[in-house]
């Protein structure tokens, strides 16, 4: 069992930056993936970024490429999401998740992820 706790959300003006953190308790294996998802009111949850725990390979949604960076500290079992050049459309509840299944990463399918955090709110004002 894995428990995830996000932090770092808040309110920021457009163009600003935030850094989210997700600390995991429980076993995280080298073939796992850790990802960030977001959900805005009235919208479906969407994948934002993911990272392979072992190789450190990163994957991004097109909407955040060049602005967001996912990273990890394996010793701390923590994954980070550095968000720069924030836009009002980035406002959402951001949640982290763990995918146990190894292999390649081809999409941000929610059903592929096994454990979820409660989320941290990000609000970007114009």
């Amino acid at each position: 069992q894995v428990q995830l706790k996000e932090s770092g959300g808040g309110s920021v003006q457009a163009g600003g930056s935030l850094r989210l953190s997700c600390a995991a308790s429980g076993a995280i294996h080298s073939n796992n993936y850790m990802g960030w998802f977001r959900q805005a009111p009235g919208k479906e949850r969407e994948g934002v970024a993911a990272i392979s725990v072992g190789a450190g390979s990163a994957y991004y949604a097109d909407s955040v490429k060049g602005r967001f960076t996912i990273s990890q500290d394996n010793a701390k079992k923590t994954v980070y999401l550095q968000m720069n050049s924030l836009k009002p459309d980035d406002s959402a509840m951001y949640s982290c998740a763990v995918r146990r299944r190894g292999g390649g990463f081809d999409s941000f399918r929610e059903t592929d992820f096994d454990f979820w955090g409660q989320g941290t709110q990000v609000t970007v004002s114009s």
Side-chain angles (χ1 to χ4, degrees):
Q1 192 76 7
V2 174
Q3 293 186 328
L4 302 168
K5 178 63 176 176
E6 302 93 338
S7 61
S11 297
V12 65
Q13 289 193 328
S17 298
L18 282 173
R19 187 193 193 208
L20 306 184
S21 298
C22 172
S25 61
I28 301 294
H29 307 298
S30 61
N31 67 337
N32 294 168
Y33 289 82
M34 294 187 74
W36 285 98
F37 289 75
R38 67 185 182 187
Q39 186 169 24
K43 295 186 178 181
E44 293 187 355
R45 185 157 55 185
E46 62 171 341
V48 173
I51 190 166
S52 58
V53 172
S57 301
Y59 306 87
Y60 298 96
D62 288 344
S63 57
V64 306
K65 279 181 183 176
R67 300 188 298 123
F68 290 12
T69 302
I70 189 170
S71 61
Q72 62 185 350
D73 183 332
N74 287 347
K76 295 181 179 180
K77 291 194 290 187
T78 299
V79 65
Y80 306 97
L81 186 68
Q82 177 66 44
M83 306 187 295
N84 298 329
S85 303
L86 283 162
K87 306 174 182 179
D89 283 350
D90 294 319
S91 297
M93 180 70 75
Y94 284 71
S95 302
C96 70
V98 171
R99 190 185 101 173
R100 282 290 199 215
R101 180 175 62 83
F105 188 88
D106 55 358
S107 74
F108 290 96
R109 273 190 301 270
E110 289 184 50
T111 53
D112 284 348
F113 286 77
D114 304 283
F115 304 100
W116 293 83
Q118 293 296 313
T120 185
Q121 180 68 39
V122 171
T123 302
V124 184
S125 58
S126 57

